Amino acid sequence: MARNRAGRSGGRDDLPDDPDEGAAPAGFAEAEPHFLGHRERLRERFRKAGGEALPDYELLELVLFRAVVRADVKPLAKALIDRFGSFAEVVGAPPGRLREVKGVGEAIVTELKLIGAAVERVTRGQVRARPVLSSWSAVIAHCRASMAFVEQEQFRILFLDKRNQLILDEVQQRGTVDHTPVYPREVVKRALEVAASAIILVHNHPSGDPTPSNADIQMTKTIIDVAKPLGIEVHDHIIVGKDGHASLRGLRLI
């Protein structure tokens, strides 16, 4: 008797080449796949204890459940953590590198990028909620969520009004793994365009070490010199990396 084979549907990633292979004959009850019980147990642990109680690979499994509906995703979750290092680094990895991992298709890439976008949107909302200088931990959290695990350098500017409320959060330049071109006059010009009274400079070090370089310090001082006569204050220059962050103001380098 001919047997119908289920195809892929709904844009989801199904890891087995043929999910119906070995299906029970008609009239016999098919055993429940072992991974279904595991999925429900993991969801229940998350509901009771929250994400902090789960290791990175199990939290990643919960994300993968949405994209892969008919397979055990634990091996894939562990493979992703092994490749990139942590949950945050998996979420922040470029789509092209994610696709290099066997079993990762477009549905999985979409779910991971959705998580990253959601985190950035939440942290940006927390920064907007109150004056930036009185919510410094929220600023740092937003900068790290947005840039700490990006594989190329980015130069970001937070533009603030007279009350130190966020006007605009903008990536001005993208560069290579170890360099981003920054033009001080363009920074100040953009601040004038959005009527900012103050700015916070932010960039990332893909190497992971947020220690400021001599070039970082000199560039910041140049921007301060250009901005000051026009009434624009540079509150700080924050450098973020996988290993933490550094504040040039906090280090008394500016």
Side-chain angles (χ1 to χ4, degrees), residues 88-136:
E89 288 169 287
V90 172
V91 170
R97 289 198 61 206
L98 288 169
R99 294 187 194 100
E100 293 173 1
V101 179
K102 184 177 181 181
V104 174
E106 290 307 313
I108 287 175
V109 170
T110 298
E111 290 295 331
L112 293 172
K113 295 298 106 181
L114 176 60
I115 294 294
V119 170
E120 184 172 349
R121 188 70 58 90
V122 168
T123 57
R124 185 188 304 153
Q126 292 170 341
V127 172
R128 287 186 183 278
R130 55 194 190 276
V132 164
L133 297 185
S134 65
S135 56
W136 200 244

Side-chain angles (χ1 to χ4, degrees), residues 42 54-62 74 77-78 81 87:
L42 191 53
L54 304 180
D56 277 9
Y57 80 89
E58 289 188 334
L59 193 62
L60 187 55
E61 280 188 80
L62 288 168
K74 182 186 290 187
K78 289 186 173 182
I81 297 296
F87 180 90

Side-chain angles (χ1 to χ4, degrees), residues 31-43:
E32 182 180 84
H34 74 280
F35 60 82
L36 293 182
H38 169 68
R39 289 186 175 204
E40 186 51 41
R41 288 190 297 272
L42 191 53
R43 289 189 181 104

Side-chain angles (χ1 to χ4, degrees), residues 119 122-146 158 200 202 236 238 240 244-245 247:
V119 170
V122 168
T123 57
R124 185 188 304 153
Q126 292 170 341
V127 172
R128 287 186 183 278
R130 55 194 190 276
V132 164
L133 297 185
S134 65
S135 56
W136 200 244
S137 61
V139 173
I140 299 301
H142 173 58
C143 294
R144 284 185 53 76
S146 303
L158 306 183
I200 297 172
V202 190
D236 205 345
I238 301 167
V240 296
H245 73 277
S247 158

Side-chain angles (χ1 to χ4, degrees), residues 21-241:
E21 192 67 41
F28 289 85
E30 185 174 358
E32 182 180 84
H34 74 280
F35 60 82
L36 293 182
H38 169 68
R39 289 186 175 204
E40 186 51 41
R41 288 190 297 272
L42 191 53
R43 289 189 181 104
E44 184 62 21
R45 284 175 54 206
F46 177 78
R47 286 190 287 265
K48 288 182 177 180
E52 290 298 318
L54 304 180
D56 277 9
Y57 80 89
E58 289 188 334
L59 193 62
L60 187 55
E61 280 188 80
L62 288 168
V63 175
L64 298 179
F65 289 168
R66 291 173 49 83
V68 182
V69 297
R70 292 180 295 176
D72 180 4
V73 296
K74 182 186 290 187
L76 178 56
K78 289 186 173 182
L80 285 164
I81 297 296
D82 287 345
R83 169 69 70 90
F84 297 104
S86 69
F87 180 90
E89 288 169 287
V90 172
V91 170
R97 289 198 61 206
L98 288 169
R99 294 187 194 100
E100 293 173 1
V101 179
K102 184 177 181 181
V104 174
E106 290 307 313
I108 287 175
V109 170
T110 298
E111 290 295 331
L112 293 172
K113 295 298 106 181
L114 176 60
I115 294 294
V119 170
E120 184 172 349
R121 188 70 58 90
V122 168
T123 57
R124 185 188 304 153
Q126 292 170 341
V127 172
R128 287 186 183 278
R130 55 194 190 276
V132 164
L133 297 185
S134 65
S135 56
W136 200 244
S137 61
V139 173
I140 299 301
H142 173 58
C143 294
R144 284 185 53 76
S146 303
M147 304 174 69
F149 300 103
V150 176
E151 294 192 331
Q152 290 79 37
E153 277 202 11
Q154 292 182 358
F155 182 71
R156 190 182 213 98
I157 308 174
L158 306 183
F159 298 95
L160 312 177
D161 64 16
K162 291 180 180 180
R163 297 175 300 163
N164 285 319
Q165 295 275 14
L166 183 66
I167 298 172
L168 183 65
D169 168 16
E170 185 172 84
V171 175
Q172 191 183 64
Q173 297 286 344
R174 291 180 170 86
T176 65
V177 295
D178 59 3
H179 176 69
T180 303
V182 177
Y183 306 100
R185 293 188 183 278
E186 291 299 317
V187 171
V188 176
K189 177 184 176 183
R190 183 60 174 150
L192 292 171
E193 288 173 352
V194 302
S197 296
I199 57 177
I200 297 172
L201 312 174
V202 190
H203 84 277
N204 63 310
H205 281 179
S207 67
D209 180 6
T211 302
S213 67
N214 289 332
D216 294 334
I217 298 166
Q218 187 56 53
M219 175 264 290
T220 307
K221 290 180 176 179
T222 302
I223 293 174
I224 291 172
D225 290 342
V226 175
K228 188 174 181 179
L230 298 171
I232 299 170
E233 185 175 355
V234 179
H235 282 322
D236 205 345
H237 185 170
I238 301 167
I239 303 172
V240 296

Side-chain angles (χ1 to χ4, degrees), residues 7-37:
R8 298 188 179 204
S9 62
R12 296 182 180 274
D13 291 328
D14 297 310
L15 298 180
D17 292 333
D18 186 353
D20 285 344
E21 192 67 41
F28 289 85
E30 185 174 358
E32 182 180 84
H34 74 280
F35 60 82
L36 293 182

